[in-house]
Amino acid sequence: MSRPASIRKPRASSQARIAVILSAARELLAEQGMANLSVYTVAERAGIPPSSVYHFFASVPALLEGLTADVHATFRGSLLEPVEHAALRTWHDLSRLIEQRMLAIYAKDAAARQLILAQHGLAEVTQADHQHDLELGRLMRALFERHFPLPQLPMDIDVFSLAMSLGDRVYARSVQLYGEITPRLAEEGMRVFDAYLGLYLPAALPKRATPLIP
């Protein structure tokens, strides 16, 4: 399977070229969906030769993997943003804040909706998305742990990444039906996220007096 360009750790000049390619792919994906995406259309939109695209991405699935990594970098950034500890009353407040940040990313990024929520049938992209979800789950658990002392959680599954995936299923249904995440189904997705976490986190989980230092 082709690997996202981000793990190659390219030089600054290469990183700039990759950014141009991914930006062009993102625009085309938002405008036309995956059906019309090709190395040649991306190269034309980016204003570079197709060989330059092939140098970094050997195929459309490889290009989409790179774009998926780019999207998930934005999600990771949302989990690293500051959280006002004093504003949290229960873990549900933190849960809602996290989901609202992710919904905001979906709302403004059509490429994210296409890659993660739409039915595209590309195994490479789906597998890359699952791998990134595991990383997001670890970051989410660390964020919860910073503000709330967590109980003993299962070792064989990551409840945070699974909760996120379950919420995404609701958001995906909304995109399939309406082309966007509607306010009604956004609320349902957040309820699903909370309901699953609620199987493991007590409703009266006490908040830490002060948050742990990251």
Side-chain angles (χ1 to χ4, degrees):
M1 183 181 72
S2 300
R3 297 291 182 185
S6 58
I7 66 172
R8 297 182 185 182
K9 297 182 180 178
R11 294 174 298 180
S13 59
S14 296
Q15 288 177 334
R17 181 58 60 91
I18 289 170
V20 169
I21 293 169
L22 291 179
S23 177
R26 182 186 293 275
E27 291 175 5
L28 289 169
L29 195 58
E31 294 170 7
Q32 304 174 19
M34 292 191 185
N36 297 317
L37 192 71
S38 72
V39 168
Y40 294 95
T41 57
V42 170
E44 182 179 6
R45 175 62 65 94
I48 59 178
S51 59
S52 294
V53 179
Y54 277 118
H55 177 73
F56 297 106
F57 304 99
S59 63
V60 169
L63 180 59
L64 292 174
E65 284 182 69
L67 193 51
T68 299
D70 195 49
V71 167
H72 274 276
T74 305
F75 284 125
R76 287 196 301 274
S78 74
L79 292 174
L80 297 174
E81 291 177 9
V83 172
E84 186 181 352
H85 185 71
L88 302 177
R89 297 168 300 167
T90 70
W91 66 262
H92 295 88
D93 295 329
L94 180 57
S95 167
R96 178 162 290 265
L97 175 63
I98 290 171
E99 283 295 285
Q100 287 175 337
R101 287 178 177 180
M102 293 191 171
L103 283 165
I105 293 170
Y106 280 133
K108 67 182 181 182
D109 191 345
R113 297 194 299 274
Q114 287 282 335
L115 287 165
I116 299 173
L117 303 180
Q119 292 182 326
H120 48 66
L122 293 173
E124 298 93 340
V125 175
T126 300
Q127 184 172 348
D129 182 41
H130 288 166
Q131 290 301 314
H132 289 299
D133 276 352
L134 292 175
E135 183 180 1
L136 291 177
R138 288 190 290 270
L139 288 173
M140 195 178 298
R141 176 171 178 161
L143 180 56
F144 269 78
E145 184 72 56
R146 190 174 307 148
H147 297 279
F148 298 90
L150 299 180
Q152 183 67 40
L153 297 174
M155 300 294 293
D156 56 336
I157 59 171
D158 185 332
V159 299
F160 288 96
S161 62
L162 186 51
M164 182 172 53
S165 296
L166 291 170
D168 276 355
R169 292 291 297 273
V170 179
Y171 305 148
R173 180 64 172 165
S174 184
V175 170
Q176 291 158 19
L177 290 174
Y178 307 110
E180 63 179 358
I181 303 174
T182 65
R184 180 71 178 88
L185 286 174
E187 186 65 31
E188 286 300 294
M190 287 189 283
R191 291 179 66 188
V192 168
F193 184 86
D194 272 9
Y196 182 75
L197 284 184
L199 297 176
Y200 296 97
L201 304 184
L205 187 67
K207 186 176 75 169
R208 295 186 187 277
T210 56
L212 297 179
I213 298 175

